[in-house]
Amino acid sequence: MTILETRELTKYYGTGENQVRALDGVNLKVQAGEFLAIVGTSGSGKSTLLRCIHGLETVDDGAVYMDGELMDPADKAKYREQRNRMGFVFQHFNLFPNKTVLDNCTLAQMTVLKRSREEAEKTALEYLDKVGLLDKKDSYPNQLSGGQKQRVAIARALCMNPDMMLFDEPTSALDPEMIKEVLEVMKDLGRQGMTMIVVTHEMGFARHVANRVLFLDQGHLVEEGDSEAFFTNPKSERAKDFLSKVFYDAQ
């Protein structure tokens, strides 16, 4: 079942001679339970695509559909409901520094979903346990490592009971030894059947964990397909060139 679809999604930045087409008519379908990795060079439009899907960026042309229904910002109530079905994990955590881990995970539940504090805390503790940070519930973000902060961000998003999760380069701000702990949490979510779209530079992760890969270049969707097939036998010359550089052979 198609849970999300983009049709001719187009986004511009700047005006006049300085205008850049960040996305150029991107068509995409995501199936329920699918783990989709979006790869490409910096500036290829990966994060812009994710942000347009979630409504963090306005769309200049084209549209986004959820379960076959248009996501229309003009229909504010319905649009808010559709966006709430998507959890978003940012590159730089976006935790509230003056609130504890537990408070970071309960605030949106109480303000957006109107849950009681008791219900919100019960849900937060459940997901903090799932990401292995139950013992950090009373800590503040500045007392956590980068990997722990990102796992809190994932738990916070899961507390909203989303139907799908969007990850925008979730490991790019982490030290190398912290990356694995975040990827393991994401891998577990995939095993549990969560629909996921991940913008990533972790090619090994995309190859071995994602069901399907999208390759973007200069705002164009150049190639998409089964992850193993993409990495072993890319069809386009541009994808072949990209992979030859990210999997550099020192020999």
Side-chain angles (χ1 to χ4, degrees), residues 50-92:
L50 209 65
R51 293 174 69 85
C52 284
I53 287 171
H54 192 261
L56 295 169
E57 297 278 2
T58 57
V59 174
D60 292 313
D61 200 5
V64 181
Y65 294 80
M66 181 173 276
D67 289 336
E69 296 187 327
L70 176 67
M71 291 187 66
D72 182 4
D75 188 347
K76 293 183 180 179
K78 185 175 181 180
Y79 188 63
R80 189 184 310 115
E81 180 183 321
Q82 290 170 315
R83 290 190 69 208
N84 286 343
R85 292 176 58 194
M86 294 185 277
F88 199 103
V89 176
F90 297 87
Q91 188 176 30
H92 294 288

Side-chain angles (χ1 to χ4, degrees), residues 14-106:
T15 57
E17 293 181 357
N18 296 320
Q19 190 175 73
V20 175
R21 187 176 295 188
L23 293 176
D24 191 1
V26 175
N27 293 300
L28 164 66
K29 287 185 179 181
V30 182
Q31 305 304 311
E34 185 173 31
F35 193 136
L36 178 66
I38 303 176
V39 303
T41 59
S42 296
S44 61
K46 306 184 301 297
S47 293
T48 299
L49 175 58
L50 209 65
R51 293 174 69 85
C52 284
I53 287 171
H54 192 261
L56 295 169
E57 297 278 2
T58 57
V59 174
D60 292 313
D61 200 5
V64 181
Y65 294 80
M66 181 173 276
D67 289 336
E69 296 187 327
L70 176 67
M71 291 187 66
D72 182 4
D75 188 347
K76 293 183 180 179
K78 185 175 181 180
Y79 188 63
R80 189 184 310 115
E81 180 183 321
Q82 290 170 315
R83 290 190 69 208
N84 286 343
R85 292 176 58 194
M86 294 185 277
F88 199 103
V89 176
F90 297 87
Q91 188 176 30
H92 294 288
F93 327 128
N94 286 18
L95 300 177
F96 295 107
N98 61 330
K99 295 188 180 297
T100 66
V101 165
L102 184 59
D103 287 340
N104 265 281
C105 292
T106 57

Side-chain angles (χ1 to χ4, degrees), residues 219-250:
H220 297 273
L221 176 53
V222 175
E223 189 169 335
E224 64 176 304
D226 172 82
S227 56
E228 185 63 21
F230 172 79
F231 284 104
T232 56
N233 189 29
K235 299 181 181 69
S236 65
E237 289 302 317
R238 182 65 190 93
K240 291 176 183 176
D241 180 59
F242 170 75
L243 291 173
S244 72
K245 291 173 180 174
V246 296
F247 289 117
Y248 172 69
D249 186 350

Side-chain angles (χ1 to χ4, degrees), residues 101 124-137 144-145 147-149 151-152 154-155 158 181 184-185 188:
V101 165
L125 293 173
E126 175 188 343
Y127 284 110
L128 285 172
D129 190 31
K130 280 193 173 182
V131 301
L133 289 175
L134 188 58
D135 62 327
K136 299 293 185 182
K137 64 183 178 65
L144 305 177
S145 69
Q148 289 172 331
K149 289 176 186 176
R151 283 189 283 155
V152 171
I154 294 172
L158 291 171
E181 64 189 65
E184 285 297 325
V185 170
D188 285 342

Side-chain angles (χ1 to χ4, degrees), residues 190-205:
R191 290 194 195 105
Q192 294 163 23
M194 173 64 76
T195 305
M196 300 168 68
I197 307 177
V198 182
V199 170
T200 184
H201 290 294
E202 300 293 333
M203 293 299 116
F205 181 72

